Amino acid sequence: MKNNISNPLHILSSLVRAKSIDEISPFDAKNIDELYSLSINHGVANQINSNLTDFLSKEKKIVENTQQLSSLTQLNIKLTTFAQHSKVISTITDNAAKNFLLALAEAEIKVVVLKGFSLGYQVYKTSYLRPKTDVDILIRNEDKRRISEIFVNLGYSNPRGWEPQAINNQFSMKKMLSKGVSTLFDVHLKISNSKQIENILNYDELLISANSTQLTNINLINKPYALIHAIFHLLHHKSSGDLIKLIWHYDLYLITKQLNETELVQLKELIKSKGLSNLVQYTLTLTANYLPTNELQHLIEWCNTSEITKTYQPQYDYLLGRTLGIKGVWLTLCATEGLSNKVAIIQEMVFPPAEEIYIKYGKDSGWPLVMLYIRRIFTGSIKYIFKKKK
């Protein structure tokens, strides 16, 4: 057994990546509730449950540390209940998502599926092991109207009640499937809402390279592009001061381990041509702190070679710092062309339509609308100050 590691995330990471019980960092029974909650918050509960169920059924007789075995068993009992419920919900929502995606295919509309849904079917043993709150798709601008019509015809509606035009490049559509269960699509017109990188990966290149064999008539972002997109996603949340979930690191871990030679060549060419060596090296180093592998180390070292570092584009360095609050707004405005577009961004950020305010506070809050706007600005400022201090 390894020496005890006090950091709960390191314990979780050992539970996620371990190939046997002997590779799991020991923990005390008093940490079970904390580890259970953390595993859910970090999106790795289902994967850990799958690992432990396998280990405990195969290796129970040869584990010498009975206290460790007892702790693992207790943790897995709690995780099994959660995972069983998660699997049922995932099956229902995935089937609804596939039905919509197949409806698009029947209408000869091609989209690319991104992020968790795509990774669940490509790099995870079973799709439910990769939790997701929504299904992200990238579309052509020209197909937006037709796609919206298909959404409506299949019973979907916009959960926000309005569609931002300036602050992001996406809209959402949601359908209630049963009480407490719904399927939610985030429809992207560009790869990112960040003005600085919104055009770095485009629809055409993602569609051409998409994996169209894993799910019939459904285009999944392929692994090299998925890794780049996952890095941008992780860094965006990190620079915004958000929780960095262990599942995002595990995505990168799995992708790099499963790249074949052709995919690895494509990934390296993407890193060079897009000028991303520093971002990739930085993010994969963070991942390797929790989930070290030879594949990650190879890419990290390759990104650090002089030939590759000279291809890096420094305009992406903003993602390595903080972009929350006023600084983030300023960066967005600087990257936005045209005074009218800048004004539109400020208006949507500070004074969105009443629908957005009512979603947050409810129509029956008892507060006049003007006071709700003031309340929103005030609470947003407080959150910014506290995030900045972290």
Side-chain angles (χ1 to χ4, degrees):
M1 284 287 186
K2 295 181 179 180
N3 293 328
N4 183 45
I5 300 176
S6 59
N7 186 335
L9 281 183
H10 281 287
I11 298 175
L12 276 191
S13 67
S14 74
L15 287 164
V16 168
R17 73 173 186 270
K19 300 302 181 185
S20 70
I21 288 181
D22 288 337
E23 296 177 4
I24 297 173
S25 300
F27 61 90
D28 194 278
K30 66 183 180 181
N31 299 123
I32 289 175
D33 288 341
E34 179 186 17
L35 290 174
Y36 171 74
S37 296
L38 276 176
S39 69
I40 294 173
N41 291 338
H42 281 267
V44 293
N46 295 343
Q47 183 64 58
I48 292 175
N49 172 247
S50 178
N51 292 349
L52 289 181
T53 299
D54 183 51
F55 299 159
L56 293 171
S57 64
K58 291 181 179 179
E59 303 185 30
K60 186 173 182 179
K61 294 182 181 180
I62 64 173
V63 177
E64 298 178 359
N65 190 329
T66 56
Q67 182 178 357
Q68 173 77 347
L69 177 60
S70 176
S71 297
L72 291 172
T73 302
Q74 291 179 56
L75 174 61
N76 200 43
I77 289 172
K78 293 171 68 69
L79 289 171
T80 297
T81 300
F82 176 85
Q84 288 174 341
H85 179 263
S86 178
K87 186 174 184 178
V88 171
I89 300 300
S90 178
T91 300
I92 295 171
T93 56
D94 276 19
N95 286 340
K98 289 177 191 175
N99 287 339
F100 174 76
L101 293 169
L102 291 175
L104 293 182
E106 289 176 7
E108 299 184 346
I109 300 174
K110 295 182 179 181
V111 304
V112 181
V113 187
L114 311 170
K115 296 167 69 172
F117 186 95
S118 177
L119 292 173
Y121 284 95
Q122 289 192 86
V123 300
Y124 284 79
K125 184 177 180 181
T126 308
S127 62
Y128 91 94
L129 296 177
R130 178 47 166 93
K132 55 270 182 188
T133 57
D134 52 39
V135 181
D136 294 84
I137 60 175
L138 181 67
I139 72 171
R140 289 194 317 158
N141 285 4
E142 298 91 321
D143 293 327
K144 180 181 176 182
R145 182 185 59 80
R146 292 180 63 203
I147 289 173
S148 297
E149 289 175 353
I150 294 173
F151 268 124
V152 173
N153 291 338
L154 292 178
Y156 287 80
S157 60
N158 187 335
R160 297 183 74 167
W162 72 291
E163 184 182 326
Q165 300 296 319
I167 59 176
N168 60 37
N169 300 304
Q170 68 186 67
F171 64 97
S172 300
M173 297 297 282
K174 183 177 182 180
K175 180 180 181 179
M176 295 302 300
L177 303 175
S178 62
K179 185 178 180 179
V181 181
S182 62
T183 182
L184 174 67
F185 276 85
D186 272 346
V187 185
H188 299 258
L189 303 175
K190 293 189 176 182
I191 197 65
S192 173
N193 288 323
S194 177
K195 299 294 183 183
Q196 296 90 333
I197 59 172
E198 64 182 9
N199 295 314
I200 195 167
L201 304 177
N202 63 61
Y203 168 88
D204 290 330
E205 63 182 312
L206 293 185
L207 182 63
I208 290 171
S209 64
N211 178 350
S212 57
T213 60
Q214 192 75 39
L215 296 175
T216 305
N217 292 325
I218 296 176
N219 299 305
L220 307 177
I221 184 173
N222 79 349
K223 290 196 283 288
Y225 277 100
L227 184 138
I228 298 299
H229 190 220
I231 286 174
F232 279 126
H233 176 259
L234 187 152
L235 290 179
H236 171 74
H237 281 282
K238 187 175 187 299
S239 64
S240 298
D242 300 330
L243 170 70
I244 304 304
K245 296 183 179 182
L246 186 59
I247 192 69
W248 299 339
H249 287 302
Y250 193 55
D251 289 341
L252 297 173
Y253 168 90
L254 288 179
I255 294 170
T256 54
K257 284 187 71 68
Q258 295 181 32
L259 290 171
N260 60 37
E261 290 186 11
T262 300
E263 291 168 334
L264 183 59
V265 169
Q266 184 185 27
L267 172 63
K268 288 182 175 181
E269 182 56 38
L270 277 173
I271 294 171
K272 289 193 294 184
S273 63
K274 306 290 184 180
L276 303 175
S277 60
N278 197 31
L279 294 187
V280 173
Q281 178 272 328
Y282 174 84
T283 310
L284 295 187
T285 299
L286 294 178
T287 298
N289 287 334
Y290 293 106
L291 303 162
T293 66
N294 291 334
E295 292 84 358
L296 282 170
Q297 191 58 38
H298 166 77
L299 275 171
I300 291 168
E301 292 175 357
W302 178 81
C303 286
N304 278 327
T305 60
S306 57
E307 177 188 356
I308 305 306
T309 56
K310 68 183 181 183
T311 67
Y312 179 63
Q313 299 295 323
Q315 67 260 35
Y316 306 128
D317 281 344
Y318 76 97
L319 284 169
L320 303 180
R322 289 285 195 155
T323 62
L324 68 158
I326 297 173
K327 182 178 180 181
V329 174
W330 176 251
L331 288 170
T332 297
L333 292 175
C334 289
T336 301
E337 296 182 359
L339 179 60
S340 61
N341 292 330
K342 296 178 191 292
V343 171
I345 286 174
I346 294 173
Q347 182 177 351
E348 286 190 359
M349 284 183 171
V350 182
F351 300 108
E355 291 89 344
E356 184 81 359
I357 303 300
Y358 289 139
I359 287 175
K360 185 176 182 64
Y361 300 108
K363 287 190 175 182
D364 301 320
S365 65
W367 289 52
L369 182 59
V370 65
M371 293 303 297
L372 290 177
Y373 276 108
I374 294 173
R375 178 180 173 184
R376 179 177 182 272
I377 294 171
F378 176 76
T379 55
S381 300
I382 295 298
K383 288 180 182 179
Y384 165 66
I385 292 171
F386 277 99
K387 268 192 174 183
K388 193 174 182 181
K389 287 181 178 180
K390 288 182 180 181

